[in-house]
Amino acid sequence: MNKNEIVRLEIEDITEDGLGLGRADSMAVFVKDTVIGDVVDAKIVKVKKTYAFGRIERIVTPGSCRVKPACPDAARCGGCQLQAMSYEMQKTYKEDRVRNALKRIGGFSDLQILPIDGADHLWHYRNKAQYPVGRGKNGEIVCGFYAARTHTIIDRRDCALQSPENVEVLDMILDHMGKYQIRPYDEETGTGLVRHILIRNAANTKERMVCLILNGKTMPEMEILADRLMQLRGMAGISINLNTKQTNVILGDKTFVVAGKGYLEETIDDVRYQISPASFFQVNSEQTQKLYRHVLEYAAPEGNETIWDLYCGTGTISLFLAKKAKYVIGVEVVEEAVKNAVSNASLNGINNVRFIAGKAEEILLGKAGKELPDADVVVVDPPRKGCDRKVLDTILAVRPKRIVYVSCDPATLARDLKYLCETEYRIQIVKPVDMFPMTVHIETVVLLSKGEVDSKKIRVEFSLEDMDM
């Protein structure tokens, strides 16, 4: 196979990055913007020893699951990899991703995976957006999203996944920049002022907030802009984040409140959360409710249990669990997140929870751990890289009755489950939850138990409920 050669491919699968997989002369060829079942003519653009990359020249026969993308820039933008795939096939693809990872990496060949908890709303579900600001080819100010695998900004403000109300915010800010000749940031030179515009929306309380990420402490006539933005419906606060470093990291270390509050409030069921610009919070509020309900169900507290919530962040899951547990201990390495967690507990009047800053393995196996009650249940919700091996060893050392693992990456989930199941623990429930329609990302909740009676009880109760959804 040679570069620039045209090959005909039938797309048989989609990778975790959203690339279609076909085969030519027994060689795997990866092609962007294809869906399962497509027959395409692809031009080879890069050849490796055992695989190649191609670009669509022509769709010969569209796959049965191919649909017209809602966004005209879906193929260029790096945010939505699956818009051309029907939602039913998206759900099947995501279930298969979890199943294949557990089998290939974890060695679990006979697991029953419960049906994916699909989204009720496929569009405009994201409650957080970070829009880069820059210059277009003709020198005009542009704002939107990066093209896939580049830092070229696609000038689009009406994203199909973001809140439609963001458009009026962006229009107002860009109009202000034009009126007062405020320059956008230039990555190459490190000059210019406005780097990103961060907007958060609360789906349930209808509050929203704006944070301007600046290469400086303020912008010209900031009070005028803040006053205009605060007149918009539901606007809770305007802030500035200072980032003067030449880096790809969006947020800097310091944030200043310009008007209103430095946070918005959101509710999941009856738990209320304060969310600042830098706070981690799941981007799909509706699906977060489903996810947290599964965590609570599988943890199965009856009022007498102590639950350890590792990688607790701002306490979102901890506070949810505290409603039915005797005591919850949240551990998080980021001190600022722990401060937010304490504030959220106070906001809700929840007193049966304690948050500790530090590494989970050092806290729970050190002096502090000896002063803490034993864990009946351990909940982990690690970042994409999965759990640190020392954290897994800590869990095994304290031997909880149940472990609830929340994962945003099937590969690291499978790796960690394999390690845990080399001991007395066994997987009882695997439940995918689609937090991110139109993208390749998938959340999964897994229950592990060493108690056969408990596991059978939970499996019957919750698998039947899941089937009824």
Side-chain angles (χ1 to χ4, degrees):
M1 187 176 295
N2 301 306
K3 186 177 179 179
N4 296 325
E5 180 180 349
I6 305 295
V7 296
R8 181 158 294 184
L9 304 167
E10 181 174 355
I11 304 302
E12 58 191 55
D13 202 357
I14 303 293
T15 70
E16 62 183 21
D17 298 321
L19 300 177
L21 168 62
R23 297 186 186 277
D25 298 329
S26 300
M27 179 178 281
V29 182
F30 301 102
V31 186
K32 186 177 176 291
D33 302 323
T34 56
V35 301
I36 296 170
D38 277 350
V39 177
V40 302
D41 287 337
K43 183 177 183 178
I44 301 301
V45 295
K46 185 183 292 186
V47 181
K48 298 291 186 178
K49 285 186 178 180
T50 58
Y51 60 93
F53 293 94
R55 183 177 62 237
I56 289 182
E57 290 289 297
R58 183 169 71 100
I59 298 177
V60 179
T61 306
S64 60
C65 67
R66 176 172 281 278
V67 297
K68 183 179 180 180
C71 174
D73 287 318
R76 296 174 59 210
C77 179
C80 299
Q81 304 90 357
L82 304 180
Q83 272 202 39
M85 183 186 290
S86 71
Y87 189 56
E88 286 304 311
M89 180 56 78
Q90 288 184 38
K91 291 190 291 184
T92 299
Y93 157 74
K94 293 184 180 187
E95 285 181 2
D96 288 343
R97 270 197 67 197
V98 175
R99 183 179 295 105
N100 293 338
L102 291 175
K103 182 177 181 179
R104 179 174 53 85
I105 300 172
F108 303 105
S109 58
D110 57 350
L111 282 179
Q112 178 186 1
I113 297 177
L114 294 178
I116 188 171
D117 217 336
D120 298 319
H121 296 94
L122 307 182
W123 309 105
H124 306 300
Y125 63 81
R126 288 187 63 94
N127 56 38
K128 176 185 176 183
Q130 299 174 129
Y131 299 89
V133 184
R135 294 280 187 193
K137 293 181 179 180
N138 299 317
E140 74 281 13
I141 297 177
V142 295
C143 175
F145 300 94
Y146 291 125
R149 299 176 182 83
T150 76
H151 268 222
T152 300
I153 299 174
I154 298 172
D155 191 21
R156 174 163 290 279
R157 305 171 201 176
D158 56 339
C159 171
L161 300 191
Q162 305 290 352
S163 169
E165 295 182 337
N166 289 356
V167 176
E168 64 180 347
V169 174
L170 297 174
D171 287 347
M172 194 173 288
I173 295 172
L174 297 186
D175 176 71
H176 184 85
M177 291 177 65
K179 183 176 181 179
Y180 294 101
Q181 298 182 338
I182 300 169
R183 293 188 300 156
Y185 183 71
D186 186 316
E187 288 187 344
E188 293 185 4
T189 64
T191 60
L193 184 62
V194 182
R195 300 176 69 127
H196 283 79
I197 301 168
L198 186 155
I199 305 174
R200 303 193 86 139
N201 299 275
N204 296 314
T205 66
K206 305 304 179 184
E207 287 191 353
R208 49 179 168 162
M209 68 179 301
V210 175
C211 180
L212 299 171
I213 295 90
L214 303 181
N215 185 35
K217 292 184 177 180
T218 189
M219 68 159 59
E221 305 298 341
M222 185 65 218
E223 290 185 3
I224 294 176
L225 175 61
D227 287 343
R228 290 185 65 197
L229 289 170
M230 288 299 294
Q231 300 305 312
L232 298 177
R233 185 193 62 81
M235 190 62 68
I238 314 298
S239 58
I240 288 175
N241 177 266
L242 175 61
N243 186 356
T244 58
K245 298 178 181 179
Q246 283 193 267
T247 173
N248 290 335
V249 177
I250 294 177
L251 289 173
D253 297 328
K254 295 182 179 180
T255 301
F256 310 93
V257 178
V258 177
K261 304 181 295 185
Y263 58 87
L264 57 72
E265 294 189 9
E266 176 64 302
T267 59
I268 302 295
D269 277 354
D270 57 349
V271 181
R272 199 169 189 89
Y273 302 97
Q274 291 181 348
I275 306 168
S276 66
S279 295
F280 171 79
F281 196 81
Q282 294 282 3
V283 299
N284 188 332
S285 298
E286 185 176 79
Q287 291 299 98
T288 296
Q289 182 182 62
K290 297 178 183 179
L291 180 74
Y292 287 4
R293 285 178 176 178
H294 289 310
V295 173
L296 181 61
E297 289 170 348
Y298 301 162
E302 296 178 349
N304 297 313
E305 297 86 358
T306 294
I307 301 177
W308 290 356
D309 180 15
L310 311 184
Y311 304 96
C312 73
T314 57
T316 50
I317 290 179
S318 300
L319 300 180
F320 218 75
L321 294 168
K323 297 187 297 182
K324 292 191 176 181
K326 179 181 179 181
Y327 195 50
V328 178
I329 300 165
V331 182
E332 169 60 49
V333 72
V334 180
E335 291 189 12
E336 190 64 29
V338 172
K339 292 178 183 178
N340 290 337
V342 172
S343 296
N344 283 328
S346 177
L347 178 69
N348 288 276
I350 296 176
N351 301 313
N352 61 330
V353 61
R354 177 182 175 186
F355 295 105
I356 306 174
K359 293 183 178 180
E361 65 274 14
E362 294 176 1
I363 296 294
L364 300 176
L365 292 182
K367 180 180 179 181
K370 296 176 182 178
E371 301 171 354
L372 298 173
D374 293 336
D376 298 298
V377 181
V378 169
V379 175
V380 291
D381 185 8
R384 190 169 301 280
K385 65 180 181 179
C387 289
D388 186 282
R389 179 60 60 89
K390 292 180 181 178
V391 172
L392 297 179
D393 288 336
T394 300
I395 294 171
L396 294 175
V398 300
R399 301 183 69 240
K401 295 176 184 177
R402 294 183 292 280
I403 302 168
V404 180
Y405 193 131
V406 183
S407 170
C408 59
D409 184 82
T412 55
L413 170 66
R415 179 201 67 199
D416 291 350
L417 292 180
K418 180 180 181 181
Y419 187 73
L420 292 171
C421 289
E422 288 173 351
T423 64
E424 59 193 320
Y425 288 94
R426 296 293 177 266
I427 296 173
Q428 306 298 339
I429 297 175
V430 179
K431 180 68 175 179
V433 180
D434 189 13
M435 300 285 287
F436 318 103
M438 307 300 144
T439 80
V440 294
H441 304 297
I442 178 67
E443 292 273 333
T444 311
V445 188
V446 177
L447 170 67
L448 300 98
S449 173
K450 61 180 181 177
E452 198 169 312
V453 174
D454 287 344
S455 67
K456 286 181 178 178
K457 175 184 175 183
I458 294 170
R459 176 180 288 178
V460 169
E461 289 177 358
F462 298 118
S463 64
L464 288 177
E465 180 181 344
D466 286 324
M467 296 298 184
D468 289 339
M469 286 184 175

